[in-house]
């Protein structure tokens, strides 16, 4: 029995030396002290078969060895614990003497792009086809097709950039160039109704100041169908503006106005609270499409009607984000665009 206990102790010490982590220590503990199949429990059980005196003597010895081993086990645990802590201190510490690395610059989406995306989404949710159009445009689509003949006085108001060597081409002055283009493309020879919208850049030869630029953005929309009337126009535009400004109580009013491609034509104002109390804000031009234009788009104006509307996006985006000078838009100034 003495020998057995001596060997047990040696085996345990040897095992302990090989242990390098908590898992190994756990296994060793089970091997020696496990209640069911541990080596020590087996020895304790075998004591039962001995005579009383021998049992007492060897029982005492076995207990002493057991305590020695438990002390060794405790010491090893402490060593492992210390190792673990110093490892954490090493791996997770922060070196406060490292030089500061500036954050990488990332790009920003221009507010006009953000605003345009938002408008596009509202239009798409309302079932509109949304499409780009050409900025270099024929005089036909920009003017003649939308009822502005060659010597029409409305041309004067557009301050057109003509292409030098070929004045039948212009930089488009309005997204209304897409009215006839979209109807010709999508009406299937004047047999199908249409909801179409188009964001885009337009150009006018204007003097630059805080509210005017030679390059700005418009959004055009039109609906063609049968039995279209002004009620449809008002309802559509109200829905659109409420979607854009995320409000459900916008009121609108129409004031008579003149655009050659609509008859009757209107300016639409909305009553909205943009933080300074409720105010009427002039928003867009609109009207029932002139029969000449409906016809140019391929529809029979006796049977089909349409309404159209167009608005400047710059002003809308300025209202939305509180931008006070239109010149920021094309400035290319990162201090401006990085705010969005
Ligand atoms: N194209 C007009 C403008 O540039 C706006 C408009 C579009 C008006 C459609 C009526 C209908 O001012």
């Amino acid at each position: 029995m003495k020998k057995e206990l001596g060997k047990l102790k040696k085996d345990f010490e040897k095992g302990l030396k090989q242990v390098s982590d908590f898992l190994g220590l756990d296994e060793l503990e089970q091997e020696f002290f496990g209640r069911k199949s541990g080596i020590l429990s087996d020895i304790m059980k075998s004591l039962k078969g001995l005579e009383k005196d021998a049992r007492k003597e060897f029982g005492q010895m076995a207990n002493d060895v057991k305590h020695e081993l438990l002390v060794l086990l405790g010491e090893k645990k402490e060593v492992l614990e210390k190792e673990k802590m110093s490892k954490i201190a090493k791996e997770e510490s922060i070196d406060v003497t490292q030089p500061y690395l500036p954050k990488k610059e990332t790009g920003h989406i221009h507010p006009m792009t953000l605003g345009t995306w938002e408008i596009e989404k509202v239009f798409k949710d309302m079932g509109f086809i949304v499409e780009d159009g050409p900025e270099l445009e024929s005089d036909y689509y920009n003017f003649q097709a939308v009822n502005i003949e060659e010597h029409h006085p409305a041309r004067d108001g557009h301050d057109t950039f003509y292409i030098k060597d070929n004045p039948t081409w212009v930089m488009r002055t309005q997204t209304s160039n897409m009215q006839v283009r979209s109807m010709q493309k999508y009406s299937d020879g004047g047999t199908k109704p249409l909801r179409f919208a188009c964001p885009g850049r337009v150009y006018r030869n204007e003097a630059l100041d805080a509210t005017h630029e030679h390059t700005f953005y418009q959004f055009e929309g039109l609906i063609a169908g049968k039995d279209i009337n002004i009620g449809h126009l008002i309802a559509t535009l109200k829905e659109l503006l409420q979607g854009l400004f995320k409000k459900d109580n916008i009121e609108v009013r129409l004031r008579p106005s003149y655009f050659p491609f609509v008859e009757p034509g209107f300016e639409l104002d909305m009553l909205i609270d943009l933080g300074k109390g409720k105010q009427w804000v002039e928003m867009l031009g609109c009207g029932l499409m002139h029969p000449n234009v409906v016809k140019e788009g391929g529809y029979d104006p006796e049977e089909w009607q349409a309404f159209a509307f167009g608005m400047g996006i710059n002003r809308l985006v300025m209202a939305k984000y509180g931008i006070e000078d239109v010149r920021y838009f094309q400035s290319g100034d990162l201090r401006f665009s990085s705010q969005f």
Side-chain angles (χ1 to χ4, degrees):
M1 180 62 84
K2 234 185 190 166
K3 254 193 199 162
E4 238 176 278
L5 286 171
K7 184 174 177 297
L8 177 83
K9 202 176 151 190
K10 265 196 194 131
D11 285 349
F12 185 78
E13 279 167 347
K14 207 170 135 197
L16 211 53
K17 255 187 207 153
Q18 283 164 3
V19 163
S20 60
D21 56 17
F22 284 101
L23 194 75
L25 194 66
D26 223 41
E27 276 167 8
L28 192 74
E29 193 175 352
Q30 283 301 319
E31 190 186 333
F32 284 85
F33 298 100
R35 264 172 207 238
K36 274 190 190 146
S37 56
I39 300 172
L40 255 165
S41 324
D42 288 348
I43 290 176
M44 290 302 190
K45 275 178 212 156
S46 71
L47 290 178
K48 278 186 193 155
L50 298 179
E51 271 176 27
K52 202 181 168 193
D53 287 346
R55 207 191 317 158
K56 203 175 167 193
E57 192 192 338
F58 289 124
Q60 186 65 49
M61 269 166 78
N63 258 331
D64 290 348
V65 171
K66 185 180 173 183
H67 279 121
E68 274 178 54
L69 297 193
L70 281 174
V71 169
L72 289 176
L73 192 76
E75 283 171 3
K76 182 77 180 183
K77 254 186 202 164
E78 236 171 82
V79 170
L80 286 180
E81 199 69 45
K82 269 190 195 145
E83 274 176 16
K84 187 175 141 194
M85 290 318 284
S86 64
K87 202 173 155 212
I88 288 175
K90 210 165 148 190
E91 284 175 1
E92 297 182 13
S93 67
I94 296 167
D95 180 359
V96 292
T97 63
Q98 274 222 329
Y100 161 73
L101 292 177
K103 251 207 292 179
K104 272 213 181 107
E105 283 286 341
T106 54
H108 295 267
I109 311 261
H110 195 280
M112 283 304 296
T113 310
L114 281 177
T116 306
W117 284 350
E118 226 169 283
I119 301 169
E120 273 181 31
K121 184 174 182 314
V122 176
F123 270 109
K124 281 183 185 157
D125 288 348
M126 288 171 73
F128 281 72
I129 298 172
V130 178
E131 217 172 72
D132 275 346
E135 292 171 20
L136 175 60
E137 181 57 292
S138 64
D139 184 276
Y140 168 73
Y141 281 115
N142 195 80
F143 291 125
Q144 291 169 51
V146 288
N147 217 21
I148 309 175
E149 289 301 327
E150 204 183 330
H151 296 293
H152 198 291
R155 288 198 181 215
D156 296 346
H158 278 230
D159 301 307
T160 312
F161 284 115
Y162 285 94
I163 303 305
K164 207 170 164 192
D165 298 327
N166 189 349
T168 60
W169 289 89
V170 301
M171 295 310 287
R172 70 169 168 193
T173 60
Q174 52 182 356
T175 45
S176 298
N177 72 315
M178 291 304 286
Q179 287 184 5
V180 170
R181 274 187 180 279
S182 65
M183 289 188 290
Q184 287 179 348
K185 183 171 175 186
Y186 289 110
S187 72
D188 222 348
T191 59
K192 283 198 182 130
L194 176 63
R195 290 178 201 195
F196 182 85
C198 150
R201 221 178 341 211
V202 302
Y203 303 85
R204 291 191 195 181
N205 192 359
E206 288 189 84
L208 203 60
D209 62 33
T211 55
H212 291 95
E213 273 210 303
H214 49 65
T215 303
F216 52 100
Y217 291 77
Q218 287 189 337
F219 218 118
E220 189 90 2
L222 71 86
I223 290 190
K226 289 184 175 175
D227 299 321
I228 296 272
N229 60 48
I230 292 175
H232 298 131
L233 177 144
I234 294 173
T236 304
L237 291 178
K238 207 171 149 175
E239 183 82 23
L240 182 74
L241 293 171
Q242 293 185 158
L244 283 183
F245 285 90
K246 300 199 166 57
K247 293 196 192 283
D248 52 13
N249 55 350
I250 293 179
E251 277 178 59
V252 297
R253 73 178 179 200
L254 297 181
R255 281 178 291 111
S257 186
Y258 175 71
F259 304 95
F261 31 88
V262 287
E263 178 58 37
F266 308 99
E267 301 257 4
L268 181 138
D269 305 333
M270 67 173 178
L271 187 62
I272 193 174
D273 186 353
L274 290 171
K276 293 183 206 153
K278 276 198 169 186
Q279 273 181 321
W280 285 106
V281 184
E282 191 184 314
M283 279 312 295
L284 49 89
C286 58
L288 292 189
M289 196 179 278
H290 194 288
N292 288 354
V293 184
V294 174
K295 194 169 160 201
E296 205 65 30
Y299 291 107
D300 175 2
E302 298 285 333
E303 260 188 80
W304 294 81
Q305 297 85 41
F307 64 79
F309 50 93
M311 60 186 167
I313 315 180
N314 294 71
R315 258 208 281 154
L316 194 121
V317 170
M318 287 168 90
K320 230 177 136 67
Y321 296 113
I323 299 162
E324 65 279 354
D325 191 323
V326 77
R327 283 170 293 195
Y328 285 131
F329 284 128
Q330 311 271 6
S331 66
D333 191 335
L334 286 177
R335 286 170 308 180
F336 170 65
S337 49
S338 64
Q339 294 174 49
F340 301 92

